[in-house]
Amino acid sequence: MEIQGLPGRVLDELGPAIASGEIPEGAVLRGEELEGRFGVSRTVVREAVRVLEGMRLVASRRRVGITVQPKSLWDVFDPMVIRWRLAGADRPAQLRSLGSLRVAVEPAAAALAATHATDDDRRELSSLAVELTVAAREADLTTFLGHDIAFHALVLRASGNEMFAHLGDTVGAVLTGRTEYHLMPHQPEPYAIRLHREVADAICGGDAAHAERAMRTIVTGALEELNLQLG
C-alpha cells in the first residue's frame, strides 16, 4: 500500500523513524507539533496517523497524544513496515526473520500447489519460469525481480491456503529488499533458475514431494547466502 500526497510525505519520514528506533517506543507525539513540523493540516496528520495505527506502530488517545507502540505489537507482515525496517539498522535482523519465514512456509505451499493449482495457475507458473530464465540470461535484474515476485506469490496463492496466499506481499517485500540493498548477485545463478523450473514442472505434474524439495532448496539456499553476506 502506497500512500500518496501530503499524508504520504508525513509517513515517509515518521514511518522509518519509528521503525528504526529513532523515535523510540513510548515516545508521545502531538498532532499540533506534527502539523507545524511538516507544514500540513490537521486532516493530513490524522490520515497519516490512521495509517500508522493500522500498522499498530502507534496508538492515539485523546488528551494523551500519539504513543509509539512496542515492536511486539507491530504488524510486522505489513509491506510498508518491512520496507521501513529494511531501510534502517534493523535490516539484518529483518532479512533473517523473513528468510526463516520463507523456509517455514514456501516449501509447504509448493507441495499444496501441486495438488490444488488450477490449470490457469499451472500455465502461468510455467510461463513465469520461462520469463525468469530469459531475464536471468539477459542479466535484467529489474525484470527478473518482477517475475520472481510473481512466481513466489503465485505458488503461495495456488496452495489453496488463504493464509499462505496473504504472505505474497511479504515475500515480495523481502525479494525487493535483497535487490535494492545489493544482496543479490549481478546475474542470477543458473542453479537457482533451474530450481525455479523444477518447482514449476513439479507443480504442473502434480508431484508434491518434488515441488516441496525444490522450493526448500531455493529458500534455504537464499537464507544461507544471506547469512554469509550479512556476516
Side-chain angles (χ1 to χ4, degrees):
M1 176 182 63
E2 294 289 340
I3 308 300
Q4 304 297 326
L6 292 175
R9 182 165 65 82
V10 175
L11 282 171
D12 284 345
E13 185 168 330
L14 280 184
I18 293 170
S20 68
E22 178 185 338
I23 302 177
E25 170 188 335
V28 177
L29 309 173
R30 306 289 179 185
E32 55 272 20
E33 292 173 358
L34 294 176
E35 292 166 31
R37 174 178 171 181
F38 293 102
V40 296
S41 68
R42 181 178 301 179
T43 300
V44 169
V45 168
R46 283 178 176 170
E47 185 172 347
V49 169
R50 177 182 57 79
V51 174
L52 292 172
E53 284 183 304
M55 300 171 179
R56 300 197 293 276
L57 268 65
V58 303
S60 182
R61 291 180 59 191
R62 191 181 299 275
R63 298 192 183 88
V64 174
I66 304 155
T67 305
V68 176
Q69 297 294 89
K71 187 184 294 186
S72 59
L73 298 180
W74 296 357
D75 179 4
V76 293
F77 291 104
D78 188 288
M80 289 184 73
V81 175
I82 292 171
R83 188 181 72 195
W84 292 336
R85 293 179 69 190
L86 287 175
D90 205 23
R91 185 184 307 154
Q94 172 73 120
L95 285 169
R96 288 189 174 101
S97 179
L98 289 165
S100 296
L101 175 69
R102 295 186 67 198
V103 170
V105 170
E106 290 197 66
L112 288 170
T115 301
H116 297 289
T118 66
D119 289 341
D120 285 344
D121 291 336
R122 297 175 198 275
R123 281 191 290 270
E124 185 178 354
L125 202 60
S126 293
S127 176
L128 283 168
V130 172
E131 289 167 347
L132 278 169
T133 303
V134 173
R137 187 180 301 127
E138 296 175 351
D140 183 349
L141 286 185
T142 300
T143 300
F144 182 87
L145 173 62
H147 293 328
D148 200 23
I149 290 172
F151 184 96
H152 288 275
L154 178 55
V155 172
L156 290 164
R157 290 197 310 274
S159 71
N161 182 306
E162 73 281 3
M163 299 189 77
F164 285 178
H166 192 67
L167 294 174
D169 287 344
T170 301
V171 171
V174 68
L175 292 172
T176 300
R178 287 177 59 203
T179 299
E180 288 182 347
Y181 295 107
H182 310 294
L183 296 170
M184 288 283 287
H186 294 300
Q187 183 165 6
E189 298 288 353
Y191 78 87
I193 306 306
R194 174 179 55 77
L195 285 167
H196 280 74
R197 290 199 302 267
E198 284 190 27
V199 170
D201 289 346
I203 289 174
C204 291
D207 188 341
H210 191 176
E212 179 176 11
R213 186 165 58 250
M215 182 62 86
R216 187 173 301 282
T217 303
I218 290 172
V219 292
T220 54
L223 183 56
E224 288 168 1
E225 288 174 10
L226 185 65
N227 284 330
L228 286 174
Q229 290 166 323
L230 295 175

